[in-house]
Amino acid sequence: MLNFLPWYFRLLFRLFPRITANFLGRKMSGGIDFATLQKILEKTKCVDLIPLNTENDLGFQIILDSKVALFFSQDSDHFAYDGYEVGEYDKGEVTVLDHWQKEE
């Protein structure tokens, strides 16, 4: 089952399964601590999505509980994280995604 891993990872996995699985999970996810991210998002009561369309940039904001804004801007064929701000924000428009068609 774990034949794709080097022998020392397999040994560590047998001796310390939880620690090794946690380490490998972080390594394979690019260093993102999803446990911490999950805890933050579980506490969030309201998420607003605000499109940004300026002369030079195309992007969007994700606003958590009207207090923290995460900015994403378009970088050729994908969106890239562009920073965050902390402050008070107005509630977003709930119909922002209504114009998208559901795929059947």
Side-chain angles (χ1 to χ4, degrees):
M1 177 178 152
L2 300 174
N3 292 336
F4 65 94
L5 293 174
W7 66 269
Y8 48 88
F9 272 123
R10 291 194 305 262
L11 177 64
L12 287 173
F13 199 71
R14 286 191 184 262
L15 296 174
F16 310 103
R18 189 171 286 180
I19 294 171
T20 308
N22 192 9
F23 172 75
L24 288 176
R26 283 191 187 160
K27 186 173 180 171
M28 295 169 94
S29 67
I32 298 171
D33 187 0
F34 284 103
T36 303
L37 181 60
Q38 178 71 20
K39 287 178 187 175
I40 291 169
L41 292 176
E42 281 177 346
K43 295 177 185 175
T44 303
K45 292 182 172 75
C46 176
V47 176
D48 291 314
L49 180 65
I50 311 287
L52 299 174
N53 192 4
T54 63
E55 289 181 17
N56 300 328
D57 287 329
L58 182 64
F60 61 94
Q61 292 178 350
I62 297 176
I63 301 176
L64 306 175
D65 288 335
S66 299
K67 294 184 174 139
V68 177
L70 306 172
F71 294 91
F72 296 86
S73 59
Q74 188 172 15
D75 185 12
S76 66
D77 65 344
H78 65 280
F79 288 95
Y81 174 70
D82 199 25
Y84 72 96
E85 283 184 358
V86 177
E88 291 294 322
Y89 293 92
D90 295 331
K91 289 210 174 265
E93 179 65 42
V94 241
T95 61
V96 71
L97 301 177
D98 283 356
H99 68 280
W100 286 355
Q101 298 287 329
K102 287 185 180 180
E103 292 184 22
E104 295 182 22

